[in-house]
Amino acid sequence: MPKVKTLAKLFRAIADRDWGSAVQLARAVASEEESIGHRTAAQALRGSLNPNGKVRSRSAMTEDTGNHAAILGAALQPVRPALPLGDVVLRSAAREALDEVILEWRRRNRLQEAGLRHRANLLFHGPSGCGKSLTASALGAELGIPTYVVRFDAVVGAFLGQTALHLRELFRHAEMEPCVLVFDEIDALGKQRGNPLDVGELDRIVIALMQELEHCEAQGLVIATTNLATHLDAALWRRFDLTIKFPSPTKTEMAAYVRRTAKALGVRMRKRLRAEALRSKSFAGAEGVLVTEARRRVVREG
Ligand SMILES: Nc1ncnc2c1ncn2[C@@H]1O[C@H](COP(=O)(O)OP(=O)(O)OP(=O)(O)O)[C@@H](O)[C@H]1O
Ligand SMILES: [Mg+2]
């Protein structure tokens, strides 16, 4: 049995993703076994370290770690919610579904004891400006974990297969750190397969995304958003544990939202302004009308 001290250092190196030290320590474990006459065990351990018969150099390992950090740094953009979840206008069905998600996450250890997992893969769909991205970031704040929006420009690689590798890095990260990982406008990645204009790489990306969603055991949540639900591959759609619709606001919802937002912005509601805000098709549209008015007021007074 290797010394606990060596194992503790090995675990520490893995936790720190210091792969160079991890490899050295793993070799030390094998040597310890050999030194007490456990030759077969030592051989088996060394074999596990080099499954393809190739010994990776320490510098190659360090390079991997550097790449890993570079990909995460470029692709994960931390975001903070504009509003707390309680202030987001949600239909009762959506609110109840999200309350369940929150409760499952808070009781995830109990679920685990029962051989179950919290629902982690969520898809938010609906028209533009109705709260999908806002809710995703507000959920992170509600759970007390960071929210990262995935930057597709950093994920999509120039070389064949690179995008799939980058996706894997992101999902592995979601398995290590409790966080909300948001694939905003996932239709950009998850278009229907078989599009004749795309030369295979798009198909591979969608397949990779589906595999990651299926196998990832995220500590927090993985949320995808889209306002082009019909463009999403049906098989990708099935990989989500829960799909929530964010519909266009009703007249009553919009009236309450306009009243509240105008008050928060200190905008006086004249009839014409109110009518213009209410004509908007989305909360974001109404907010835009009111912010423009607030801006005008400040400039006029200024
Ligand atoms: N349901 C809502 N409750 C309160 N404010 C909202 C709501 N929906 C939108 N807003 C306001 O509009 C802004 C933009 O909304 P958001 O980015 O969440 O829209 P979206 O549904 O993700 O749109 P898109 O599909 O275009 O990305 C929010 O930051 C917020 O100020
Ligand atoms: Mg959005």
Side-chain angles (χ1 to χ4, degrees):
M1 181 72 188
K3 283 190 193 127
V4 172
K5 228 174 166 181
T6 318
L7 286 179
K9 278 189 195 160
L10 173 58
F11 284 24
R12 179 78 230 191
I14 292 169
D16 291 344
R17 293 158 177 248
D18 179 358
W19 306 128
S21 303
V23 169
Q24 277 209 330
L25 287 158
R27 285 192 186 126
V29 170
S31 300
E32 275 182 38
E33 286 299 298
E34 196 164 39
S35 67
I36 51 170
H38 297 166
R39 282 228 184 115
T40 322
Q43 224 168 4
L45 287 171
R46 288 192 183 114
S48 304
L49 205 51
N50 313 308
N52 304 323
K54 280 190 191 155
V55 181
R56 303 211 63 202
S57 70
R58 194 186 160 108
S59 65
M61 291 286 176
T62 312
E63 202 174 288
D64 277 358
T65 317
N67 288 342
H68 176 85
I71 290 161
L72 295 182
L76 297 184
Q77 187 180 343
V79 287
R80 287 176 179 282
L83 291 174
L85 191 60
D87 287 351
V88 180
V89 183
L90 290 169
R91 293 282 160 86
S92 55
R95 172 92 51 203
E96 281 161 23
L98 291 172
D99 284 347
E100 272 189 5
V101 166
I102 293 167
L103 194 63
E104 284 177 22
W105 188 79
R106 294 204 170 123
R107 305 213 171 138
R108 60 196 183 284
N109 291 342
R110 270 212 234 164
L111 282 173
Q112 213 165 15
E113 281 160 22
L116 297 164
R117 269 185 50 75
H118 69 283
R119 279 174 295 176
N121 297 344
L122 317 181
L123 175 68
F124 295 171
H125 62 101
S128 180
C130 294
K132 301 180 296 294
S133 305
L134 173 67
T135 304
S137 58
L139 259 177
E142 183 73 23
L143 301 179
I145 56 182
T147 303
Y148 301 111
V149 170
V150 174
R151 295 185 51 126
F152 292 142
D153 54 344
V155 173
V156 176
F159 301 107
L160 204 66
Q162 223 178 13
T163 310
L165 281 177
H166 292 172
L167 278 174
R168 185 157 309 147
E169 293 284 349
L170 297 185
F171 278 90
R172 287 304 78 84
H173 185 75
E175 289 185 331
M176 308 280 286
E177 184 194 0
C179 62
V180 175
L181 197 60
V182 185
F183 287 85
D184 232 346
E185 329 254 333
I186 193 144
D187 36 279
L189 279 187
K191 280 187 213 150
Q192 272 179 342
R193 279 172 293 167
N195 182 339
L197 297 175
D198 298 306
V199 274
E201 177 68 348
L202 195 56
D203 283 9
R204 274 189 288 275
I205 294 172
V206 177
I207 290 168
L209 191 58
M210 290 195 296
Q211 285 176 342
E212 295 302 338
L213 280 168
E214 189 152 328
H215 297 297
C216 176
E217 300 207 332
Q219 293 220 29
L221 304 173
V222 177
I223 300 178
T225 78
T226 180
N227 50 36
L228 295 169
T230 50
H231 290 215
L232 275 198
D233 191 298
L236 178 60
W237 188 273
R238 278 203 306 278
R239 287 339 192 249
F240 293 97
D241 302 318
L242 180 66
T243 60
I244 298 181
K245 186 163 187 199
F246 287 71
S248 298
T250 62
K251 279 188 178 160
T252 320
E253 283 169 343
M254 190 57 122
Y257 177 79
V258 166
R259 213 177 311 119
R260 198 184 71 193
T261 309
K263 195 172 168 201
L265 290 168
V267 169
R268 203 153 49 88
M269 281 305 264
R270 287 189 314 276
K271 217 170 165 187
R272 202 164 45 82
L273 177 67
R274 188 179 132 81
E276 191 189 343
L278 290 178
R279 266 200 306 277
S280 312
K281 298 245 179 314
S282 66
F283 294 115
E287 186 187 40
V289 170
L290 296 173
V291 170
T292 303
E293 180 59 24
R295 203 177 284 126
R296 275 198 200 117
R297 190 177 49 98
V298 171
V299 171
R300 262 199 313 258
E301 285 170 2

